[in-house]
Amino acid sequence: MKKLKVFLNGLLYENPTLVIFLGMCPALGTTGTIENAVYMSLCVLFVLFLSNVIISSIRKIVPNEVRIPVYIIIIATLVSIVDMLFHAYLPYDVYQSLGSFISLIVVNCIILGRAESFASKNKVSDSIIDALGYSAGFAMAIIVVAFFRELIGTGALSWAGHSLQIIPSEYAIKLFSTNSGAFITLGLVVAGYTAIMEAVKAKKAAKEKLAENK
Amino acid sequence: MNKLLKLPIFLGVVGCLCGGVLSLTNFITKDKIAQDEYERANAAYYKHFAEFKTKKEVALTDELKAGGVTLKEEIFSDEQQTASLGYIYTCSVVGFAGKSSPINFTLSFADGKINNYVNLGHGESAQGAKFLDWLDKGGNNLTNLDAGKAETGSSVTYGAISKAFSLCTADYLANYNK
């Protein structure tokens, strides 16, 4: 039960992008297409998962005074590994469009935040669940933003060079493909998400009140 | 004193371990990255000759230089440069009597005839580039450029391109027939 709570915390209640607004740089910069968003999510999953596992494993032997430099070295190493693997095995266009955002994962607050506030204080199994929850939450948020940006901005959804035109291109609103469009779409998605979560909370509270009255 | 040594040693050990992991990853991926970069850098050559392996620069004549040819290369399908596939001429010509924007392209020859044409980029407008689009589509098998004269924009681009085509063809055939 505790593990499910840890997972749902990252996925829904403390969603890094939609609730606590961490890692906004890739959330805005790599959401031009769904393909980019998916690969960025995989990057974050790889780094967050392994950094949580490693930091949780060595938490008892890391001297408190040097814990932050140690975390940074570990995270930077993992990011460099992802960068090299993506460079070698990902389509070059995708690697190029992700560009510096891969390297910027080193300073992504989600990764360092989870390392400092969770992995360094909890056992490995809980840290794995935490990493999966936060990665899933991040992935969900940026893929939803990318879906709307790509669909409204180009009228089509594309993957690996294949494109499916859903809205005639003359009706596409190019603004959504630009940086301004990223802010607007993210704002709308956050508003929609908050409204849904508030409605769920209100429904739950009403149910509990009804049960109390009975 | 104990702490003064312990902290840097700990950081040093972590740094060495991370360096080792990075070296291993680099060892695994470096060949693939180098191969991909080589193929990307030579992508234009593969459009002319799918079996492209190596190339050798050939000296240009003054006539070719004056006609806008910037590079002539012999293409081989092996590392030893014994199996020749043909020649590629890289050209940068300016239409409209030198007043238009540069048009960059490569033209290849094999087996005594034109093999392929690859557009490397130009600064023409969409209308001005109609003749270039016609060439991109393999206009009249690239043997009779006059057939493309009816295309919009040919008055700007046709002259410079056909001159370069003729120069390259003459140079190639002169050496081919030797």
Side-chain angles (χ1 to χ4, degrees):
Chain A
M1 199 60 195
K2 191 202 162 195
K3 285 190 170 35
L4 181 68
K5 202 181 162 195
V6 169
F7 182 79
L8 289 179
N9 211 29
L11 180 67
L12 301 172
Y13 309 122
E14 278 182 22
N15 186 293
T17 309
L18 303 176
V19 179
I20 49 180
F21 300 106
L22 293 179
M24 299 311 287
C25 189
L28 294 165
T30 63
T31 50
T33 64
I34 290 182
E35 193 175 9
N36 283 357
V38 168
Y39 284 120
M40 178 48 74
S41 303
L42 287 175
C43 252
V44 169
L45 170 67
F46 178 87
V47 176
L48 187 55
F49 183 88
L50 286 178
S51 70
N52 264 18
V53 168
I54 295 168
I55 289 164
S56 181
S57 311
I58 60 168
R59 69 186 188 281
K60 286 174 185 162
I61 57 166
V62 179
N64 196 40
E65 296 88 337
V66 291
R67 68 184 197 289
I68 298 293
V70 169
Y71 299 164
I72 296 275
I73 292 172
I74 291 168
I75 293 167
T77 304
L78 293 170
V79 171
S80 301
I81 290 172
V82 173
D83 190 45
M84 282 189 261
L85 291 174
F86 271 25
H87 195 172
Y89 300 108
L90 216 63
Y92 188 70
D93 294 344
V94 177
Y95 174 73
Q96 222 177 11
S97 58
L98 288 175
S100 58
F101 290 107
I102 296 179
S103 313
L104 281 173
I105 294 175
V106 176
V107 288
N108 190 318
C109 300
I110 302 172
I111 318 279
L112 195 60
R114 295 328 290 164
E116 171 68 0
S117 68
F118 196 93
S120 62
K121 293 171 186 140
N122 290 280
K123 55 184 186 187
V124 177
S125 59
D126 286 342
S127 298
I128 288 175
I129 303 292
D130 180 71
L132 293 176
Y134 270 80
S135 303
F138 177 76
M140 178 185 80
I142 69 166
I143 290 170
V144 168
V145 172
F147 172 80
F148 287 117
R149 281 188 68 194
E150 190 174 6
L151 183 65
I152 303 171
T154 65
L157 296 175
S158 58
W159 186 271
H162 303 286
S163 185
L164 177 68
Q165 194 73 36
I166 295 169
I167 302 169
S169 56
E170 59 266 32
Y171 293 109
I173 306 167
K174 300 254 183 303
L175 173 77
F176 281 85
S177 300
T178 64
N179 296 338
S180 322
F183 280 98
I184 293 168
T185 314
L186 184 66
L188 292 172
V189 170
V190 168
Y193 182 79
T194 310
I196 292 168
M197 291 306 280
E198 288 300 318
V200 170
K201 253 189 221 168
K203 209 174 172 184
K204 205 175 163 187
K207 238 183 191 175
E208 278 169 6
K209 206 174 178 185
L210 201 72
E212 271 174 28
N213 289 342
K214 273 183 183 174
Chain B
M1 188 63 191
N2 187 22
K3 214 170 201 178
L4 210 64
L5 280 173
K6 192 184 161 192
L7 298 181
I9 288 173
F10 188 85
L11 272 178
V13 170
V14 171
C16 286
L17 286 173
C18 289
V21 175
L22 281 177
S23 304
L24 182 70
T25 313
N26 180 52
F27 180 74
I28 294 167
T29 56
K30 67 175 181 182
D31 289 341
K32 177 83 172 69
I33 291 171
Q35 173 70 19
D36 287 353
E37 272 173 7
Y38 179 79
E39 283 176 10
R40 238 184 341 272
N42 295 302
Y45 293 97
Y46 289 106
K47 285 183 186 169
H48 287 286
F49 299 104
E51 307 86 35
F52 162 78
K53 207 86 181 179
T54 53
K55 57 186 189 279
K56 186 172 81 182
E57 195 173 331
V58 180
L60 290 174
T61 62
D62 290 339
E63 196 185 7
L64 283 174
K65 281 182 193 167
V69 181
T70 55
L71 187 65
K72 178 185 173 185
E73 290 162 306
E74 188 172 6
I75 306 301
F76 300 91
S77 62
D78 58 348
E79 296 285 348
Q80 296 77 31
Q81 302 197 331
T82 52
S84 176
L85 292 168
Y87 288 84
I88 296 179
Y89 292 79
T90 304
C91 307
S92 180
V93 299
V94 184
F96 205 44
K99 296 188 187 91
S100 190
S101 312
I103 303 159
N104 304 310
F105 63 90
T106 50
L107 189 63
S108 61
F109 295 87
D111 304 325
K113 57 183 179 4
I114 290 180
N115 177 56
N116 201 7
Y117 157 87
V118 175
N119 182 356
L120 298 179
H122 59 77
E124 291 295 334
S125 64
Q127 284 300 311
K130 293 268 181 187
F131 175 72
L132 300 172
D133 295 341
W134 176 81
L135 271 179
D136 283 345
K137 289 172 194 154
N140 221 16
N141 293 327
L142 305 170
T143 49
N144 180 17
L145 295 195
D146 288 350
K149 268 185 163 178
E151 298 290 333
T152 311
S154 66
S155 57
V156 177
T157 54
Y158 167 81
I161 290 178
S162 64
K163 188 182 167 197
F165 263 61
S166 305
L167 276 172
C168 295
T169 308
D171 179 77
Y172 171 72
L173 289 177
N175 291 300
Y176 182 76
N177 293 329
K178 268 182 190 170

